[in-house]
Amino acid sequence: MNTAKVRVSLIHIIGSYKSKLSSYADDIFQLTPPIGGWSYSEVYAHIFDASLLSLISLDDSITGKGKKEPTHFIVKLILLLGSLPPVKKYEVPKRLAGRVKKINKPEALDFIIEFETALGKYYPKIATADLQLKTKHPRLGYLNAKQWLRFIEIHLKHHLKQLERIEKSFKG
């Protein structure tokens, strides 16, 4: 896995989130979309909160808090292919569900900037990571630092698609 390519991809994805954020009208940012489910606000709160938590797990696997556990084949396949398996709707892990909340656009931008800053802090450490040390993801099992970085990319892309579905539902 080429972490430099993943990092460049993350920078582009973050740019997409920023661009979309600036395009959303303030009056609909927190509204439940016509299709139901999360508002734009809740998507931003979830994805950047989860991404920050993922960076902490990435760092834990680097700083010796990880375990020498196998990564399941299906997870390796997801990371290789770069997308989550097609499912109608994924359930948020219980420990994250209570963290999803409605935020305003300035708070969403602050979350993005906090994530960018944290990514800049943790990314350089990946090069020296012991790939045998892994920390547990709530759904995917044990991931090493490089796998966490790839997961963050996949997860961010997944929720960009969700934002596009919400956009279409507001357009009618």
Side-chain angles (χ1 to χ4, degrees):
M1 178 179 329
N2 185 330
T3 58
K5 284 184 181 179
V6 174
R7 184 168 185 261
V8 169
S9 174
L10 285 170
I11 291 166
H12 289 293
I13 293 166
I14 292 165
S16 294
Y17 274 96
K18 285 180 176 177
S19 177
K20 286 182 175 296
L21 180 63
S22 67
S23 75
Y24 300 138
D26 291 339
D27 60 331
I28 67 165
F29 187 68
Q30 294 183 340
L31 288 181
T32 299
I35 58 172
W38 285 347
S39 64
Y40 293 123
S41 169
E42 291 162 309
V43 173
Y44 274 82
H46 163 70
I47 192 59
F48 287 101
D49 181 46
S51 294
L52 284 163
L53 292 172
S54 294
L55 285 175
I56 292 168
S57 292
L58 178 153
D59 189 52
D60 284 348
S61 67
I62 293 169
T63 58
K65 296 177 186 163
K67 297 180 180 181
K68 292 189 177 187
E69 295 285 341
T71 300
H72 297 292
F73 174 77
I74 190 72
V75 175
K76 289 180 182 179
L77 191 58
I78 289 168
L79 297 172
L80 176 69
L81 297 176
S83 67
L84 298 170
V87 173
K88 286 199 182 226
K89 186 175 178 184
Y90 285 95
E91 291 296 320
V92 177
K94 285 184 175 41
R95 74 174 210 176
L96 296 178
R99 296 173 65 99
V100 176
K101 60 184 177 181
K102 291 193 177 188
I103 58 176
N104 61 38
K105 287 175 64 176
E107 289 170 320
L109 184 57
D110 288 346
F111 242 152
I112 294 170
I113 292 167
E114 184 181 355
F115 172 72
E116 285 178 307
T117 302
L119 180 62
K121 173 184 171 186
Y122 295 125
Y123 176 77
K125 298 179 181 183
I126 295 171
T128 60
D130 179 346
L131 299 182
Q132 298 303 312
L133 292 179
K134 301 172 185 178
T135 51
K136 193 169 184 359
H137 180 278
R139 292 265 194 261
L140 301 178
Y142 286 88
L143 304 175
N144 65 34
K146 286 184 178 184
Q147 291 168 331
W148 272 108
L149 186 72
R150 179 70 164 149
F151 167 74
I152 293 167
E153 176 193 27
I154 292 167
H155 193 218
L156 283 164
K157 283 182 184 178
H158 171 77
H159 285 287
L160 269 179
K161 291 176 188 171
Q162 182 181 12
L163 291 175
E164 290 166 8
R165 289 191 301 273
I166 294 170
E167 289 166 12
K168 286 179 185 173
S169 80
F170 276 117
K171 291 177 182 171

